[in-house]
Amino acid sequence: MTGKSYTSWGRFPQIQQQGRELAWRSDPLPESLAGTDSVLPYGNGRSYGDVCLNRGGTVLGTRALNHFIDFDAESGVVRCESGVLLADILQLVVSAGWFLPVSPGTRYVTMGGALANDVHGKNHHRAGTFGAHIRAFELLRSDGSRMLCTPDENSELFAATIGGLGLTGLVTWIELQLRAIEGPMLREESLKFANLDEFFRLTEASDQDFEYTVAWVDCASKGDALGRGLFARANHDSQESGQAVVDPVVDKGPRIKVPLQPPFSLINSFSLKLFNTWWFHRQRRRRQVRNIHYQPFFYPLDSVGNWNRIYGPKGFLQYQCVLPGEEGRDVLRQMLSAIAKSGNGSFLAVLKIFGDSPSPGMMSFPRPGVTLALDFPNSSGVFRLLDRLDDMTREVGGAVYPAKDARMSAESFRAYFPAWEDFSAYVDPSFSSTFWRRVAGE
Ligand SMILES: Cc1cc2nc3c(=O)[nH]c(=O)nc-3n(C[C@H](O)[C@H](O)[C@H](O)COP(=O)(O)OP(=O)(O)OC[C@H]3O[C@@H](n4cnc5c(N)ncnc54)[C@H](O)[C@@H]3O)c2cc1C
């Protein structure tokens, strides 16, 4: 066992988690564990809730599996170990004219974590999920077998493992197809919108011409201003010379850090209202255009180290749901109104429309519809509110994202992921997680 602490990003639930660090991708799983105790791969703990935790069992730390195996700068195919961070990939490939095909809102996630949650980004309407760009990976099972998985070879395990929440075995290496770019800059437009109808109009008018679209929404606004926010749309900047440009920015990590955990959450209904109003009015003009480096565009939160500490010792919960169809739009309105009324919520509420590219994973979360994501301090009343949001999500045939969850019920999970029973056939008998036992009762 190591002295390393294994937590999730929301710091809820709080668990004294045992862990073992893996040293080499060629090593077998630790012998004393295989077949006896349950294990779970652990990437960089950027999941918010309990998909990366295994109370009473052991997690297998993968951060030492951080070697590149191959990078073909002609075709943009990279093969690396599963503990390599997306940040390390960007450092290697951007200057060679390549970019991640799909990126979540932080670059401090491992390749294995990105695969196991089949993460999505601001370009879902164009590129689908991360898993759609994976060409191959190796899966190590607790019986010692190593399976090469591709869309054509062991294709069922391929589909079960992408979005499979680390339950089908340990992914040791991954081969990913990158996307060509001409430089590290993007051209971004930021547009103010007054309400949800305007958000839907903007997204419909933008998804055709812009690779990246996402909106920040003021979750404290009510009445006529319900659902107001800022809509960002961007494309990679094309160089006139047509030549790839060396990235002048060295990744030095977060610029500032939250040094200490305050004794209570700094987010409350007062600070929330104040921040959201200021943020909305900070942009004076209706439309603002700028050239922006990929780091602040994709990863604004990465510039503040340990920002999760601002929620105090009890931690926080994130809620991300997807709501399909026209009905989903009405339910979104009801949700935002319930959230604003409760006085809960965060300064960071995000809206995005998922496109209709099918996700390659049996258990992948993204599906066509509007997705809302926001944080909630772990305070009294928040669990009741989230249960209400779950009822609304279920009613409309939507789903909640396991990567962000720490409390959904087994009943909700089974409604959101009807493939869960077929999926359980692929779960490795020695692998489990706190999340899985809660929702599948196994
Ligand atoms: C600020 C912030 C922004 C985010 N934005 C987004 C976003 O825009 N879109 C999005 O989809 N997600 C987003 N996320 C969530 C994050 O991308 C996912 O939770 C991601 O899976 C975390 O990766 P990790 O390396 O930290 O893995 P962990 O959180 O440690 O683990 C995640 C899962 O992967 C499994 N796993 C890890 N390594 C392996 C392996 N080698 N083999 C098999 N299974 C493995 C674990 O068992 C676990 O089930 C965000 C998170 C943060 C903190």
Side-chain angles (χ1 to χ4, degrees):
M1 302 292 161
T2 63
K4 194 177 157 183
S5 77
Y6 299 93
T7 55
S8 61
W9 191 244
R11 298 154 93 220
F12 176 84
Q14 282 169 4
I15 291 177
Q16 287 294 329
Q17 181 64 62
Q18 306 271 24
R20 265 291 170 101
E21 286 298 294
L22 302 173
W24 302 102
R25 70 175 181 275
S26 52
D27 282 352
L29 292 178
E31 215 162 82
S32 59
L33 301 172
T36 54
D37 198 356
S38 81
V39 294
L40 181 75
Y42 181 91
N44 205 28
R46 258 30 183 207
S47 297
Y48 283 74
D50 55 4
V51 282
C52 60
L53 299 174
N54 189 17
R55 194 194 289 266
T58 303
V59 295
L60 303 172
T62 56
R63 287 306 318 288
L65 306 184
N66 59 359
H67 301 96
F68 282 94
I69 301 168
D70 194 30
F71 171 47
D72 181 346
E74 284 294 305
S75 63
V77 174
V78 65
R79 183 184 283 203
C80 64
E81 291 182 337
S82 58
V84 168
L85 293 177
L86 299 187
D88 300 330
I89 297 200
L90 290 166
Q91 279 297 290
L92 174 76
V93 307
V94 169
S95 290
W98 295 98
F99 202 74
L100 293 166
V102 166
S103 179
T106 170
R107 61 194 186 279
Y108 301 124
V109 316
T110 62
M111 286 286 281
L115 178 153
N117 274 323
D118 196 13
V119 299
H120 56 270
K122 299 176 172 69
N123 59 351
H124 184 274
H125 60 286
R126 287 271 186 95
T129 60
F130 187 80
H133 307 271
I134 291 175
R135 291 163 48 107
F137 58 83
E138 182 188 68
L139 187 68
L140 173 58
R141 304 269 293 181
S142 64
D143 61 6
S145 58
R146 286 175 188 267
M147 324 279 285
L148 174 68
C149 299
T150 75
D152 305 315
E153 201 170 335
N154 294 311
S155 56
E156 290 180 350
L157 261 182
F158 183 84
T161 302
I162 292 178
L165 312 174
L167 296 163
T168 61
L170 176 86
V171 174
T172 58
W173 59 258
I174 296 167
E175 191 174 281
L176 181 72
Q177 175 66 61
L178 301 166
R179 175 226 186 278
I181 51 167
E182 291 174 26
M185 304 298 288
L186 292 108
R187 184 116 177 119
E188 179 197 34
E189 285 181 33
S190 171
L191 297 111
K192 269 183 152 172
F193 56 91
N195 52 44
L196 280 183
D197 287 335
E198 245 188 74
F199 160 75
F200 286 118
R201 271 201 297 277
L202 269 174
T203 202
E204 269 146 29
S206 308
D207 281 1
Q208 182 74 19
D209 296 331
F210 291 86
E211 182 165 354
Y212 303 103
T213 59
V214 72
W216 166 82
V217 61
D218 174 358
C219 68
S221 61
K222 296 179 188 162
D224 287 350
L226 182 80
R228 71 179 180 183
L230 299 167
F231 185 85
R233 55 190 192 188
N235 284 317
H236 288 281
D237 207 9
S238 43
Q239 308 296 319
E240 276 172 14
S241 66
Q243 297 289 309
V245 173
V246 172
D247 184 2
V249 177
V250 177
D251 190 347
K252 293 193 183 133
R255 275 182 297 148
I256 47 168
K257 286 190 178 164
V258 178
L260 291 169
Q261 174 181 270
F264 48 83
S265 171
L266 300 182
I267 309 298
N268 52 45
S269 53
F270 177 70
S271 61
L272 184 72
K273 178 100 190 124
L274 206 67
F275 175 88
N276 278 271
T277 305
W278 169 72
W279 193 256
F280 180 74
H281 290 294
R282 205 182 58 129
Q283 177 172 320
R284 296 248 173 91
R285 278 171 288 153
R286 192 187 161 267
R287 175 170 170 269
Q288 204 166 278
V289 185
R290 61 176 176 166
N291 288 338
I292 181 169
H293 189 266
Y294 77 83
Q295 284 181 15
F297 176 73
F298 286 101
Y299 314 114
L301 284 173
D302 285 352
S303 60
V304 184
N306 301 325
W307 63 260
N308 53 348
R309 286 183 176 164
I310 61 172
Y311 289 95
K314 292 206 290 188
F316 68 107
L317 295 103
Q318 174 151 121
Y319 190 80
Q320 180 168 2
C321 60
V322 53
L323 307 166
E326 277 301 321
E327 234 187 307
R329 297 180 177 202
D330 294 338
V331 169
L332 175 67
R333 240 176 276 280
Q334 292 164 28
M335 270 191 184
L336 284 174
S337 154
I339 292 165
K341 223 159 129 193
S342 77
N344 275 299
S346 66
F347 54 91
L348 247 186
V350 173
L351 276 181
K352 154 105 199 126
I353 301 281
F354 283 149
D356 52 13
S357 315
S359 303
M362 275 175 93
M363 296 287 285
S364 298
F365 159 72
R367 55 204 77 184
V370 57
T371 183
L372 166 72
L374 76 168
D375 300 338
F376 293 93
N378 178 11
S379 60
S380 61
V382 80
F383 289 84
R384 230 172 315 120
L385 173 67
L386 297 184
D387 285 348
R388 265 186 73 202
L389 302 188
D390 265 353
D391 290 344
M392 296 183 193
T393 302
R394 276 215 313 271
E395 224 174 81
V396 80
V400 167
Y401 192 10
K404 311 278 181 85
D405 180 72
R407 33 67 52 197
M408 76 168 84
S409 68
E411 190 195 355
S412 292
F413 173 76
R414 292 165 191 200
Y416 301 149
F417 297 94
W420 77 275
E421 260 180 307
D422 293 340
F423 167 75
S424 17
Y426 299 97
V427 172
D428 186 297
S430 294
F431 281 56
S432 186
S433 67
T434 307
F435 175 84
W436 184 242
R437 288 187 292 277
R438 176 161 51 82
V439 299
E442 288 173 16

